[in-house]
Amino acid sequence: ICPGRGVLSTLNVCGMAAVWQQVLAVDDFEEDPRAQGARGHRRSVSRGSYQLQAQMNRAVYDERPSGALVPTSVAEASRAMAGDTTLSENYAFAGMHHIFDQHVDAAVPRLQFANDDKHLLACCSLDSTLSIMTLFSSPPSVKVILKGHAGPVTDFAWSLSNDVIVSTSKDGTLRIWNTGDGRCIREVRDPEASELLCCTFQPMNNNLTVVGNSKHLLQVVNISTGKKVKGGSSKLTGRVLSMSFDAPGRILWAGDDRGSIFSFLFDMATGKLTKAKRLVVSEGSSICSISARSWISREARDPSLLINACVNKLLLYRVVDNEGTLQLKTSFPIKHGSQPLHSIFCPLMSFRQGACVVTGSEDACVYFFDVERNTKAIVNKLQGHGGPVLDVSFNCDESLLASADSTGMVIIWRREQK
């Protein structure tokens, strides 16, 4: 959005097309016969995609053609979208909007808003259940409780259309749930009866889910058939605790309890995993949380990974190539020695200086950090929990933040309206 322009025009399309042509001209594309899909579609396979992602992000801003519609520091419309506020002002909260306590006395290790939704939130609990909550009603309420697991629920994920949730449990099962009525559609048992510790959907194919277990194994599962995908498994050095795909679904990162992060190349046609790179963050430390982001803001344009690793720091890595190689960019001090803490990138791309990440902490607080500040990076700090804050989640427009702790309390925070 340019100064003096309040709406998008065809110049935006033309400008972006020019940038794409410039970037793609230096790429090396080939037609991969393995990319022949079930319906006969062919797919181009790109080499050096992550270098090009960073190049493209920079080209959009640094080499923009005259008249292209991009956010600038003086663009009135951009400033209006960003609220014309500093990061600290933008992430100021008016206090607690609501508290959910249906899982009291059992930790809530994960919670997440539904995709592109303002009012639908889910969480899982070590009491062996999951909850789906609606924040649209007044007061907010529990829509449905998902019952069926025989052990603590360790992780879950929303499908892209929000009609299905998959969950993992220490009872050794992966369950697929109908989010409308709470029915368990399918149960997939681990052949080795190992504890299932984490899961995520393949972002480009929600028919496939990746599951990590306590016997160091990463496995791709077809949730329609309940079958494991041939070639879709790999071993890590420890219990698989966390994972995240990049946005295109080509690279998967997985972390274990021995301090290692592995990158895997995902074959979109077959579901096969190929181990690519390994990074030892801290020997013996648990990699509790991994979040991937293509770019964060005008200043932070490289593909990035946000990591919680039980080293009393929140770590931000830069992705430097198309095999998922990581390079430490910066870190932020938090209290984190043993609990399974999680962190997130703020969902809205920032049109102002700086960009925010949010994390839980063992001191019962929620912290907001500006990734571009070298000093005094804390933007905000929320207090109110009675135990370590294990997970945080923003809704799609950042008007609400949810946080969960080790005592089973879920707090909904409402952002101040500017």
Side-chain angles (χ1 to χ4, degrees):
I1 299 173
C2 288
R5 299 181 185 270
V7 296
L8 296 177
S9 76
T10 55
L11 289 175
N12 187 31
V13 178
C14 296
M16 288 299 293
V19 172
W20 272 108
Q21 290 171 358
Q22 174 187 356
V23 173
L24 294 180
V26 299
D27 202 357
D28 176 16
F29 277 88
E30 63 181 5
E31 289 296 331
D32 188 345
R34 294 174 303 172
Q36 188 81 18
R39 299 182 181 177
H41 298 299
R42 298 186 68 84
R43 187 178 66 254
S44 295
V45 178
S46 170
R47 295 173 181 168
S49 58
Y50 271 83
Q51 293 96 323
L52 291 173
Q53 175 77 58
Q55 288 176 28
M56 185 198 70
N57 290 342
R58 293 189 183 94
V60 170
Y61 293 103
D62 297 338
E63 301 175 11
R64 52 187 177 271
S66 178
L69 303 180
V70 297
T72 69
S73 59
V74 296
E76 292 181 5
S78 294
R79 288 164 62 109
M81 290 176 67
D84 198 19
T85 57
T86 65
L87 274 185
S88 297
E89 290 171 330
N90 192 62
Y91 291 109
F93 285 77
M96 297 180 190
H97 174 60
H98 191 76
I99 296 176
F100 288 99
D101 61 359
Q102 67 271 21
H103 299 293
V104 68
D105 297 330
V108 172
R110 300 305 312 272
L111 85 168
Q112 185 184 1
F113 275 96
N115 296 300
D116 299 320
D117 197 287
K118 295 182 183 180
H119 302 113
L120 203 59
L121 174 70
C123 69
C124 64
S125 172
L126 299 189
D127 67 7
S128 78
T129 69
L130 301 93
S131 297
I132 299 177
M133 297 150 278
T134 176
L135 310 182
F136 183 76
S137 59
S138 184
S141 61
V142 177
K143 178 184 175 184
V144 64
I145 293 182
L146 311 180
K147 297 180 180 180
H149 281 295
V153 184
T154 53
D155 198 7
F156 74 96
W158 290 92
S159 66
L160 191 61
S161 57
N162 297 326
D163 58 341
V164 166
I165 279 178
V166 296
S167 61
T168 53
S169 170
K170 290 187 177 181
D171 66 6
T173 66
L174 171 75
R175 284 180 177 260
I176 299 98
W177 308 87
N178 182 314
T179 58
D181 57 17
R183 287 183 301 110
C184 180
I185 302 170
R186 186 182 297 277
E187 177 186 291
V188 182
R189 290 195 168 274
D190 187 271
E192 299 179 340
S194 58
E195 297 178 343
L196 301 185
L197 305 177
C198 57
C199 61
T200 189
F201 276 106
Q202 212 292 335
M204 296 294 107
N205 182 359
N206 275 191
N207 206 36
L208 301 179
T209 299
V210 187
V211 181
N213 73 17
S214 61
K215 294 186 178 179
H216 309 184
L217 189 66
L218 200 64
Q219 180 68 56
V220 182
V221 177
N222 185 319
I223 64 170
S224 292
T225 64
K227 304 291 186 180
K228 294 189 175 181
V229 174
K230 186 177 180 180
S233 63
S234 187
K235 279 270 190 178
L236 276 64
T237 54
R239 292 156 50 91
V240 187
L241 302 180
S242 56
M243 63 181 79
S244 181
F245 273 102
D246 66 347
R250 295 190 298 263
I251 300 179
L252 173 71
W253 290 273
D256 63 29
D257 65 352
R258 302 288 179 85
S260 293
I261 299 175
F262 291 84
S263 66
F264 298 88
L265 305 182
F266 188 93
D267 189 307
M268 305 287 267
T270 65
K272 181 181 177 181
L273 289 174
T274 302
K275 190 178 291 184
K277 299 291 183 178
R278 178 192 177 193
L279 171 70
V280 179
V281 176
S282 178
E283 194 71 44
S285 296
S286 293
I287 308 298
C288 306
S289 175
I290 302 176
S291 297
R293 188 69 171 267
S294 296
W295 60 283
I296 310 171
S297 72
R298 290 180 295 129
E299 287 75 35
R301 303 172 208 160
D302 293 310
S304 302
L305 241 61
L306 192 61
I307 306 291
N308 291 88
C310 296
V311 291
N312 288 311
K313 293 178 183 178
L314 177 64
L315 307 172
L316 182 65
Y317 284 88
R318 180 182 292 111
V319 183
V320 298
D321 61 26
N322 63 342
E323 291 192 331
T325 302
L326 302 176
Q327 180 183 82
L328 184 64
K329 179 179 180 180
T330 189
S331 63
F332 309 98
I334 61 171
K335 188 174 182 181
H336 186 195
S338 61
Q339 295 289 324
L341 306 186
H342 296 82
S343 56
I344 56 169
F345 291 98
C346 291
L348 295 183
M349 299 297 185
S350 178
F351 290 92
R352 63 181 70 76
Q353 296 291 323
C356 240
V357 295
V358 187
T359 183
S361 177
E362 290 178 355
D363 63 3
C365 297
V366 177
Y367 288 92
F368 296 70
F369 293 102
D370 182 348
V371 301
E372 291 304 306
R373 288 188 193 175
N374 294 322
T375 60
K376 298 181 179 179
I378 296 179
V379 172
N380 199 357
K381 174 182 174 181
L382 302 181
Q383 297 173 290
H385 282 281
V389 179
L390 305 181
D391 201 5
V392 289
S393 180
F394 260 120
N395 67 351
C396 63
D397 67 353
E398 295 186 356
S399 60
L400 297 172
L401 175 76
S403 54
D405 67 29
S406 61
T407 71
M409 181 184 295
V410 173
I411 299 179
I412 312 299
W413 311 83
R414 181 178 292 278
R415 205 179 68 185
E416 288 183 357
Q417 300 300 311
K418 299 296 181 181

